[in-house]
Amino acid sequence: MEIPSINLIKSHGSVNWKREGDKVIVSNMVYDNPMIVPPTGYEEQETFINNYFHDMLRIFQIELDKPQSVLIVVGFSFQDKHIAKMVKRALQNRELIVYIFVYKGDGKNIIDNLEVTDIPPNLKLMLIDNIFSAEYIKSENETKLTLDNLSELLSNPDVQIDIEDEKDEN
Protein backbone atom coordinates (compact mmCIF):
# COMPACT_ATOMS: atom_id res chain seq x y z
CA MET A 1 0.00 0.00 0.00
CA GLU A 2 1.38 3.38 -1.01
CA ILE A 3 1.16 6.14 1.57
CA PRO A 4 0.00 9.48 0.11
CA SER A 5 2.65 12.13 0.50
CA ILE A 6 3.17 15.79 -0.23
CA ASN A 7 6.43 17.18 -1.58
CA LEU A 8 6.98 20.90 -1.05
CA ILE A 9 9.42 22.04 -3.71
CA LYS A 10 10.76 25.57 -3.51
CA SER A 11 12.44 25.97 -6.86
CA HIS A 12 14.12 29.26 -5.90
CA GLY A 13 15.21 28.22 -2.44
CA SER A 14 13.86 29.71 0.74
CA VAL A 15 14.55 32.48 3.22
CA ASN A 16 14.81 29.81 5.94
CA TRP A 17 17.55 27.81 4.18
CA LYS A 18 21.26 28.40 4.55
CA ARG A 19 24.33 26.63 3.28
CA GLU A 20 26.90 25.19 5.68
CA GLY A 21 29.62 23.53 3.65
CA ASP A 22 28.01 20.83 1.53
CA LYS A 23 24.81 20.80 3.59
CA VAL A 24 21.60 22.78 3.45
CA ILE A 25 20.23 23.76 6.85
CA VAL A 26 16.45 24.27 7.06
CA SER A 27 15.33 26.33 10.02
CA ASN A 28 12.23 28.00 11.39
CA MET A 29 13.96 31.38 11.26
CA VAL A 30 14.74 33.77 8.41
CA TYR A 31 18.44 34.00 7.56
CA ASP A 32 20.23 37.23 6.62
CA ASN A 33 21.97 35.45 3.74
CA PRO A 34 19.47 32.77 2.67
CA MET A 35 20.10 30.08 0.08
CA ILE A 36 18.08 31.31 -2.88
CA VAL A 37 18.29 31.65 -6.63
CA PRO A 38 17.48 35.34 -7.22
CA PRO A 39 15.19 36.35 -10.11
CA THR A 40 17.91 37.65 -12.42
CA GLY A 41 16.72 36.26 -15.74
CA TYR A 42 19.48 33.64 -15.57
CA GLU A 43 17.67 31.29 -13.19
CA GLU A 44 18.02 28.31 -15.50
CA GLN A 45 21.81 28.62 -15.56
CA GLU A 46 22.11 29.45 -11.87
CA THR A 47 19.75 26.64 -10.87
CA PHE A 48 21.58 23.98 -12.84
CA ILE A 49 25.02 25.15 -11.74
CA ASN A 50 24.00 24.51 -8.13
CA ASN A 51 23.64 20.74 -7.63
CA TYR A 52 21.18 21.09 -4.78
CA PHE A 53 18.65 22.93 -6.94
CA HIS A 54 19.33 20.62 -9.85
CA ASP A 55 18.52 17.61 -7.68
CA MET A 56 15.36 19.29 -6.40
CA LEU A 57 14.15 19.97 -9.95
CA ARG A 58 14.96 16.38 -10.94
CA ILE A 59 12.79 15.13 -8.05
CA PHE A 60 10.08 17.58 -9.18
CA GLN A 61 10.13 16.09 -12.69
CA ILE A 62 9.98 12.52 -11.35
CA GLU A 63 6.99 13.37 -9.14
CA LEU A 64 5.14 14.94 -12.07
CA ASP A 65 5.50 11.72 -14.05
CA LYS A 66 3.99 9.52 -11.35
CA PRO A 67 0.43 8.26 -11.85
CA GLN A 68 -2.33 10.08 -9.97
CA SER A 69 -0.12 13.02 -9.02
CA VAL A 70 -1.40 16.48 -8.22
CA LEU A 71 0.60 19.69 -8.63
CA ILE A 72 -0.64 22.73 -6.73
CA VAL A 73 1.02 25.99 -7.76
CA VAL A 74 0.70 29.15 -5.68
CA GLY A 75 2.57 32.39 -6.37
CA PHE A 76 4.43 31.23 -9.46
CA SER A 77 3.95 32.78 -12.90
CA PHE A 78 6.01 30.25 -14.94
CA GLN A 79 8.41 32.94 -16.18
CA ASP A 80 11.22 30.47 -15.48
CA LYS A 81 11.36 28.77 -18.86
CA HIS A 82 13.05 25.59 -17.60
CA ILE A 83 10.29 24.96 -15.04
CA ALA A 84 7.54 25.94 -17.49
CA LYS A 85 8.94 23.36 -19.95
CA MET A 86 8.88 20.67 -17.25
CA VAL A 87 5.25 21.36 -16.39
CA LYS A 88 4.18 21.62 -20.04
CA ARG A 89 5.77 18.24 -20.77
CA ALA A 90 4.26 16.74 -17.62
CA LEU A 91 0.76 17.81 -18.70
CA GLN A 92 0.97 14.97 -21.23
CA ASN A 93 0.60 12.66 -18.21
CA ARG A 94 -3.22 12.58 -18.19
CA GLU A 95 -3.22 11.21 -14.63
CA LEU A 96 -1.52 14.39 -13.41
CA ILE A 97 -3.82 17.21 -12.35
CA VAL A 98 -2.31 20.70 -12.15
CA TYR A 99 -4.06 23.39 -10.11
CA ILE A 100 -2.63 26.87 -10.53
CA PHE A 101 -3.96 29.51 -8.16
CA VAL A 102 -4.12 32.87 -9.98
CA TYR A 103 -5.48 36.36 -9.50
CA LYS A 104 -8.13 37.58 -11.92
CA GLY A 105 -6.47 38.72 -15.13
CA ASP A 106 -3.27 36.67 -14.61
CA GLY A 107 -4.55 33.42 -16.13
CA LYS A 108 -3.74 34.38 -19.73
CA ASN A 109 -0.16 35.38 -18.78
CA ILE A 110 0.39 32.05 -17.07
CA ILE A 111 -0.96 30.13 -20.07
CA ASP A 112 1.27 32.23 -22.35
CA ASN A 113 4.30 31.52 -20.13
CA LEU A 114 3.50 27.80 -20.23
CA GLU A 115 3.21 28.10 -24.03
CA VAL A 116 0.02 26.02 -23.99
CA THR A 117 -2.20 26.65 -27.01
CA ASP A 118 -5.01 24.23 -26.18
CA ILE A 119 -5.70 23.96 -22.47
CA PRO A 120 -5.65 20.28 -21.50
CA PRO A 121 -8.41 19.00 -19.20
CA ASN A 122 -5.89 18.22 -16.45
CA LEU A 123 -4.85 21.90 -16.13
CA LYS A 124 -7.10 23.90 -13.81
CA LEU A 125 -6.68 27.59 -13.08
CA MET A 126 -8.19 28.50 -9.73
CA LEU A 127 -9.25 32.08 -9.03
CA ILE A 128 -7.71 33.22 -5.73
CA ASP A 129 -10.31 35.95 -5.14
CA ASN A 130 -13.08 33.34 -4.80
CA ILE A 131 -11.10 31.15 -2.40
CA PHE A 132 -11.18 33.81 0.28
CA SER A 133 -14.95 34.23 0.18
CA ALA A 134 -17.00 34.03 3.38
CA GLU A 135 -17.25 30.25 3.07
CA TYR A 136 -13.49 29.89 3.50
CA ILE A 137 -12.84 32.65 6.03
CA LYS A 138 -12.83 31.94 9.76
CA SER A 139 -12.01 35.50 10.76
CA GLU A 140 -10.58 38.54 9.01
CA ASN A 141 -6.99 37.45 9.58
CA GLU A 142 -7.30 33.68 9.49
CA THR A 143 -7.97 31.62 6.39
CA LYS A 144 -9.91 28.40 6.89
CA LEU A 145 -8.24 26.58 4.01
CA THR A 146 -7.51 23.10 5.38
CA LEU A 147 -6.72 19.68 3.96
CA ASP A 148 -10.26 18.68 4.90
CA ASN A 149 -11.84 21.25 2.58
CA LEU A 150 -9.11 21.37 -0.06
CA SER A 151 -10.67 18.57 -2.12
CA GLU A 152 -14.02 20.34 -2.07
CA LEU A 153 -12.39 23.61 -3.07
CA LEU A 154 -10.41 22.09 -5.95
CA SER A 155 -13.53 20.47 -7.39
CA ASN A 156 -15.61 23.66 -7.12
CA PRO A 157 -16.27 24.98 -10.66
CA ASP A 158 -17.02 28.46 -9.28
CA VAL A 159 -13.33 29.07 -8.53
CA GLN A 160 -12.04 27.78 -11.87
CA ILE A 161 -11.14 30.32 -14.53
CA ASP A 162 -12.19 30.06 -18.14
CA ILE A 163 -9.24 31.45 -20.10
CA GLU A 164 -11.48 32.26 -23.06
CA ASP A 165 -13.51 34.60 -20.80
CA GLU A 166 -10.27 36.31 -19.70
CA LYS A 167 -9.20 36.81 -23.33
CA ASP A 168 -12.53 38.46 -24.11
CA GLU A 169 -12.08 40.93 -21.24
CA ASN A 170 -8.69 42.16 -22.56
Side-chain angles (χ1 to χ4, degrees):
M1 178 176 140
E2 187 174 334
I3 298 173
S5 62
I6 295 175
N7 294 304
L8 176 61
I9 298 176
K10 297 180 174 184
S11 58
H12 280 269
S14 183
V15 294
N16 68 326
W17 296 359
K18 76 173 181 176
R19 184 187 318 239
E20 283 188 3
D22 292 340
K23 294 182 181 179
V24 175
I25 307 300
V26 178
S27 174
N28 62 355
M29 61 184 276
V30 175
Y31 290 110
D32 290 332
N33 191 16
M35 186 175 159
I36 60 170
V37 176
T40 62
Y42 297 101
E43 290 88 354
E44 183 172 4
Q45 293 167 353
E46 290 180 40
T47 300
F48 285 96
I49 288 170
N50 186 318
N51 287 335
Y52 186 79
F53 290 106
H54 179 268
D55 290 345
M56 189 178 356
L57 290 174
R58 191 169 45 97
I59 291 167
F60 175 64
Q61 189 69 62
I62 290 167
E63 292 299 318
L64 291 177
D65 290 338
K66 287 183 177 178
Q68 300 180 350
S69 289
V70 176
L71 172 63
I72 299 173
V73 179
V74 180
F76 187 66
S77 64
F78 292 94
Q79 290 184 355
D80 298 306
K81 297 292 183 200
H82 60 295
I83 296 173
K85 286 178 189 176
M86 287 183 202
V87 172
K88 181 179 178 181
R89 189 196 66 73
L91 284 167
Q92 295 172 13
N93 170 7
R94 295 299 178 191
E95 290 190 51
L96 170 71
I97 300 174
V98 177
Y99 294 99
I100 304 173
F101 288 85
V102 302
Y103 288 99
K104 185 173 177 129
D106 290 345
K108 184 181 177 322
N109 291 335
I110 288 173
I111 293 303
D112 289 347
N113 290 341
L114 278 171
E115 298 179 357
V116 175
T117 51
D118 293 319
I119 306 211
N122 58 338
L123 175 59
K124 315 266 186 216
L125 297 179
M126 310 300 286
L127 186 60
I128 287 177
D129 296 346
N130 288 354
I131 293 168
F132 299 106
S133 65
E135 181 180 349
Y136 295 101
I137 298 292
K138 196 186 232 178
S139 72
E140 272 188 72
N141 299 323
E142 188 175 339
T143 304
K144 188 183 166 187
L145 186 59
T146 66
L147 288 178
D148 290 337
N149 66 13
L150 184 60
S151 294
E152 178 186 336
L153 170 67
L154 295 178
S155 62
N156 183 347
D158 292 337
V159 295
Q160 293 183 29
I161 296 174
D162 184 341
I163 292 299
E164 294 304 316
D165 290 346
E166 258 195 16
K167 287 179 184 175
D168 294 340
E169 290 177 12
N170 293 332

Short mmCIF file of all heavy atoms in Angstrom, two decimals, residues 38-61:
data_model
loop_
_atom_site.label_atom_id
_atom_site.label_comp_id
_atom_site.label_asym_id
_atom_site.label_seq_id
_atom_site.Cartn_x
_atom_site.Cartn_y
_atom_site.Cartn_z
N PRO A 38 18.19 34.08 -7.01
CA PRO A 38 17.48 35.34 -7.22
C PRO A 38 16.90 35.43 -8.63
O PRO A 38 17.43 34.84 -9.58
CB PRO A 38 18.57 36.40 -7.00
CG PRO A 38 19.86 35.69 -7.22
CD PRO A 38 19.63 34.25 -6.87
N PRO A 39 15.82 36.19 -8.78
CA PRO A 39 15.19 36.35 -10.11
C PRO A 39 15.98 37.31 -10.99
O PRO A 39 15.67 38.49 -11.08
CB PRO A 39 13.80 36.89 -9.77
CG PRO A 39 13.99 37.60 -8.47
CD PRO A 39 15.07 36.86 -7.74
N THR A 40 17.02 36.81 -11.62
CA THR A 40 17.91 37.65 -12.42
C THR A 40 17.68 37.52 -13.92
O THR A 40 18.25 38.25 -14.70
CB THR A 40 19.38 37.28 -12.14
OG1 THR A 40 19.57 35.91 -12.53
CG2 THR A 40 19.74 37.48 -10.69
N GLY A 41 16.87 36.55 -14.32
CA GLY A 41 16.72 36.26 -15.74
C GLY A 41 17.64 35.13 -16.17
O GLY A 41 17.55 34.62 -17.28
N TYR A 42 18.55 34.73 -15.29
CA TYR A 42 19.48 33.64 -15.57
C TYR A 42 19.22 32.45 -14.64
O TYR A 42 20.13 31.68 -14.36
CB TYR A 42 20.93 34.10 -15.42
CG TYR A 42 21.30 35.18 -16.40
CD1 TYR A 42 21.34 36.51 -16.01
CD2 TYR A 42 21.59 34.87 -17.72
CE1 TYR A 42 21.66 37.51 -16.91
CE2 TYR A 42 21.91 35.86 -18.62
CZ TYR A 42 21.95 37.18 -18.21
OH TYR A 42 22.26 38.15 -19.11
N GLU A 43 17.98 32.32 -14.16
CA GLU A 43 17.67 31.29 -13.19
C GLU A 43 18.01 29.90 -13.69
O GLU A 43 18.51 29.08 -12.95
CB GLU A 43 16.17 31.31 -12.81
CG GLU A 43 15.76 32.49 -12.00
CD GLU A 43 15.35 33.68 -12.86
OE1 GLU A 43 15.50 33.63 -14.09
OE2 GLU A 43 14.90 34.67 -12.30
N GLU A 44 17.75 29.64 -14.97
CA GLU A 44 18.02 28.31 -15.50
C GLU A 44 19.49 27.96 -15.34
O GLU A 44 19.85 26.89 -14.86
CB GLU A 44 17.62 28.23 -16.98
CG GLU A 44 17.81 26.86 -17.57
CD GLU A 44 17.23 26.77 -18.97
OE1 GLU A 44 16.76 27.77 -19.53
OE2 GLU A 44 17.27 25.66 -19.52
N GLN A 45 20.38 28.88 -15.70
CA GLN A 45 21.81 28.62 -15.56
C GLN A 45 22.20 28.52 -14.10
O GLN A 45 22.90 27.60 -13.69
CB GLN A 45 22.60 29.74 -16.24
CG GLN A 45 22.43 29.75 -17.74
CD GLN A 45 22.98 31.03 -18.35
OE1 GLN A 45 23.38 31.95 -17.67
NE2 GLN A 45 22.98 31.06 -19.67
N GLU A 46 21.74 29.46 -13.27
CA GLU A 46 22.11 29.45 -11.87
C GLU A 46 21.57 28.21 -11.17
O GLU A 46 22.24 27.63 -10.33
CB GLU A 46 21.59 30.71 -11.18
CG GLU A 46 22.33 31.95 -11.63
CD GLU A 46 21.81 33.19 -10.96
OE1 GLU A 46 21.50 33.14 -9.75
OE2 GLU A 46 21.71 34.22 -11.64
N THR A 47 20.35 27.80 -11.51
CA THR A 47 19.75 26.64 -10.87
C THR A 47 20.53 25.38 -11.21
O THR A 47 20.82 24.57 -10.34
CB THR A 47 18.28 26.48 -11.32
OG1 THR A 47 17.58 27.65 -10.95
CG2 THR A 47 17.63 25.29 -10.65
N PHE A 48 20.91 25.21 -12.44
CA PHE A 48 21.58 23.98 -12.84
C PHE A 48 23.06 23.97 -12.46
O PHE A 48 23.66 22.91 -12.37
CB PHE A 48 21.36 23.69 -14.33
CG PHE A 48 19.98 23.18 -14.58
CD1 PHE A 48 18.97 24.03 -14.97
CD2 PHE A 48 19.66 21.85 -14.36
CE1 PHE A 48 17.68 23.56 -15.16
CE2 PHE A 48 18.38 21.37 -14.55
CZ PHE A 48 17.39 22.23 -14.95
N ILE A 49 23.64 25.12 -12.23
CA ILE A 49 25.02 25.15 -11.74
C ILE A 49 25.05 24.61 -10.31
O ILE A 49 25.96 23.91 -9.92
CB ILE A 49 25.58 26.59 -11.81
CG1 ILE A 49 25.82 26.97 -13.27
CG2 ILE A 49 26.85 26.74 -10.99
CD1 ILE A 49 26.14 28.43 -13.48
N ASN A 50 24.05 24.93 -9.53
CA ASN A 50 24.00 24.51 -8.13
C ASN A 50 23.36 23.12 -8.05
O ASN A 50 22.19 22.95 -8.34
CB ASN A 50 23.18 25.54 -7.33
CG ASN A 50 23.20 25.25 -5.86
OD1 ASN A 50 23.10 24.10 -5.44
ND2 ASN A 50 23.31 26.29 -5.08
N ASN A 51 24.13 22.12 -7.66
CA ASN A 51 23.64 20.74 -7.63
C ASN A 51 22.42 20.54 -6.76
O ASN A 51 21.55 19.73 -7.07
CB ASN A 51 24.75 19.79 -7.16
CG ASN A 51 25.81 19.60 -8.22
OD1 ASN A 51 25.54 19.77 -9.40
ND2 ASN A 51 27.01 19.28 -7.79
N TYR A 52 22.33 21.26 -5.68
CA TYR A 52 21.18 21.09 -4.78
C TYR A 52 19.88 21.41 -5.51
O TYR A 52 18.93 20.66 -5.45
CB TYR A 52 21.34 21.97 -3.54
CG TYR A 52 20.26 21.73 -2.52
CD1 TYR A 52 20.32 20.63 -1.67
CD2 TYR A 52 19.16 22.57 -2.42
CE1 TYR A 52 19.33 20.39 -0.73
CE2 TYR A 52 18.16 22.33 -1.49
CZ TYR A 52 18.25 21.24 -0.66
OH TYR A 52 17.26 20.99 0.25
N PHE A 53 19.86 22.54 -6.22
CA PHE A 53 18.65 22.93 -6.94
C PHE A 53 18.41 22.00 -8.13
O PHE A 53 17.28 21.69 -8.45
CB PHE A 53 18.72 24.39 -7.37
CG PHE A 53 18.62 25.33 -6.20
CD1 PHE A 53 19.74 26.00 -5.74
CD2 PHE A 53 17.41 25.53 -5.55
CE1 PHE A 53 19.65 26.85 -4.66
CE2 PHE A 53 17.32 26.38 -4.46
CZ PHE A 53 18.44 27.05 -4.01
N HIS A 54 19.47 21.56 -8.75
CA HIS A 54 19.33 20.62 -9.85
C HIS A 54 18.67 19.34 -9.37
O HIS A 54 17.73 18.82 -10.00
CB HIS A 54 20.70 20.31 -10.46
CG HIS A 54 20.63 19.34 -11.59
ND1 HIS A 54 20.77 17.99 -11.40
CD2 HIS A 54 20.40 19.52 -12.91
CE1 HIS A 54 20.65 17.37 -12.56
NE2 HIS A 54 20.42 18.28 -13.49
N ASP A 55 19.12 18.82 -8.24
CA ASP A 55 18.52 17.61 -7.68
C ASP A 55 17.05 17.83 -7.32
O ASP A 55 16.20 16.96 -7.53
CB ASP A 55 19.29 17.14 -6.44
CG ASP A 55 20.66 16.60 -6.80
OD1 ASP A 55 20.92 16.32 -7.99
OD2 ASP A 55 21.50 16.46 -5.87
N MET A 56 16.74 18.99 -6.77
CA MET A 56 15.36 19.29 -6.40
C MET A 56 14.47 19.32 -7.65
O MET A 56 13.36 18.78 -7.64
CB MET A 56 15.30 20.63 -5.68
CG MET A 56 13.94 20.90 -5.10
SD MET A 56 13.76 22.45 -4.17
CE MET A 56 15.35 23.18 -4.12
N LEU A 57 14.94 19.91 -8.72
CA LEU A 57 14.15 19.97 -9.95
C LEU A 57 14.02 18.59 -10.60
O LEU A 57 13.01 18.28 -11.21
CB LEU A 57 14.75 20.98 -10.92
CG LEU A 57 14.59 22.44 -10.48
CD1 LEU A 57 15.34 23.36 -11.43
CD2 LEU A 57 13.14 22.83 -10.38
N ARG A 58 15.03 17.76 -10.43
CA ARG A 58 14.96 16.38 -10.94
C ARG A 58 13.87 15.61 -10.17
O ARG A 58 13.06 14.90 -10.76
CB ARG A 58 16.31 15.69 -10.81
CG ARG A 58 16.42 14.38 -11.53
CD ARG A 58 17.86 13.92 -11.57
NE ARG A 58 18.52 14.06 -10.29
CZ ARG A 58 18.67 13.08 -9.39
NH1 ARG A 58 18.20 11.89 -9.63
NH2 ARG A 58 19.30 13.30 -8.27
N ILE A 59 13.82 15.77 -8.86
CA ILE A 59 12.79 15.13 -8.05
C ILE A 59 11.41 15.66 -8.47
O ILE A 59 10.44 14.90 -8.59
CB ILE A 59 13.05 15.38 -6.55
CG1 ILE A 59 14.29 14.60 -6.12
CG2 ILE A 59 11.83 15.01 -5.71
CD1 ILE A 59 14.82 15.01 -4.76
N PHE A 60 11.32 16.95 -8.72
CA PHE A 60 10.08 17.58 -9.18
C PHE A 60 9.60 16.90 -10.46
O PHE A 60 8.44 16.50 -10.57
CB PHE A 60 10.33 19.08 -9.40
CG PHE A 60 9.19 19.84 -9.99
CD1 PHE A 60 7.99 19.97 -9.30
CD2 PHE A 60 9.32 20.45 -11.22
CE1 PHE A 60 6.94 20.70 -9.84
CE2 PHE A 60 8.28 21.19 -11.76
CZ PHE A 60 7.09 21.32 -11.07
N GLN A 61 10.49 16.72 -11.41
CA GLN A 61 10.13 16.09 -12.69
C GLN A 61 9.67 14.65 -12.48
O GLN A 61 8.68 14.21 -13.06
CB GLN A 61 11.31 16.12 -13.66
CG GLN A 61 10.95 15.69 -15.06
CD GLN A 61 10.06 16.70 -15.73
OE1 GLN A 61 10.44 17.84 -15.92
NE2 GLN A 61 8.86 16.31 -16.07
#
